[in-house]
């Protein structure tokens, strides 16, 4: 089970790094837009397009982290009034459904990504499969994080509750 914790920690660390990097680049791009518009200079056309793509990847790599911290969707009102064992089962079923959703999304996301190979983005001229891959990354990471939660719950190393950053 130590390997499970290392895997989850490693995937979370990579996701945090990519989210941070994408956010940093997004800040730089938006700052470039603001500065050029403030001083009456022509704003580079590609900045708006790149901002949209960075937001897609922020979401894709942040989805699993959001699941871990309970910031994705966490309605625990009913769980709090239930006996502990029933609440645990509710969290397990929710994690299984989330993993199932991520798994079901992988194949269509792969097909969507492949379609993008025949297209280019309007201003950056990047192959759209790079952009469409954000949906594939989101699907895989949602599945992986939810599956790791399910495995951890069954192994007894995770109770299925959100892991808030302040608690770590």
């Amino acid at each position: 089970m130590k390997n499970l914790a290392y895997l989850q920690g490693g995937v979370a660390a990579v996701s945090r790094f990519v989210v941070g990097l994408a956010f940093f680049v997004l800040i730089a791009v938006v700052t470039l837009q603001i500065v050029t518009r403030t001083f009456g200079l022509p704003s580079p056309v590609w900045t708006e397009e790149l901002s949209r793509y960075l937001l897609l990847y922020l979401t894709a790599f942040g989805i699993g982290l959001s699941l871990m911290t309970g910031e994705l969707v966490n309605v625990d009102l009913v769980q709090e009034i239930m006996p502990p064992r029933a609440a645990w089962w509710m969290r397990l079923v929710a994690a299984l459904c989330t993993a199932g959703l991520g798994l079901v999304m992988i194949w269509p996301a792969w097909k969507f990504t492949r379609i993008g190979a025949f297209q280019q983005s309007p201003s950056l001229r990047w192959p759209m499969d790079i952009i469409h891959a954000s949906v594939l990354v989101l699907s895989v990471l949602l599945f992986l994080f939810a599956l790791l939660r399910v495995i951890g719950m069954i192994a007894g190393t995770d109770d299925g509750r959100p892991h808030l950053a302040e608690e770590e």
Side-chain angles (χ1 to χ4, degrees), residues 1 3 8 12 14 29-30 32-33 37 68 98 103 113 128 148 161-163:
M1 287 303 112
N3 292 339
Q8 188 173 20
V14 168
V29 168
V30 171
L32 177 62
Q33 284 179 343
R37 290 178 184 176
M68 277 179 45
T98 303
L103 182 62
T113 301
M128 285 303 291
L148 289 171
R161 293 182 187 272
H163 303 286

Side-chain angles (χ1 to χ4, degrees), residues 45-56:
V45 176
W46 55 266
T47 57
E48 291 182 33
E49 189 174 295
L50 183 57
S51 296
R52 284 192 303 272
Y53 301 155
L54 288 166
L55 287 172
L56 288 172

Side-chain angles (χ1 to χ4, degrees), residues 17-28 53-55 57-58:
F17 175 77
V18 173
V19 165
L21 180 63
F23 197 61
F24 176 77
V25 174
L26 180 63
I27 289 170
Y53 301 155
L54 288 166
L55 287 172
Y57 273 95
L58 273 168

Side-chain angles (χ1 to χ4, degrees), residues 126-137:
W126 289 355
M128 285 303 291
D129 55 349
I130 294 170
I131 312 310
H132 291 176
S134 64
V135 180
L136 180 61
V137 169

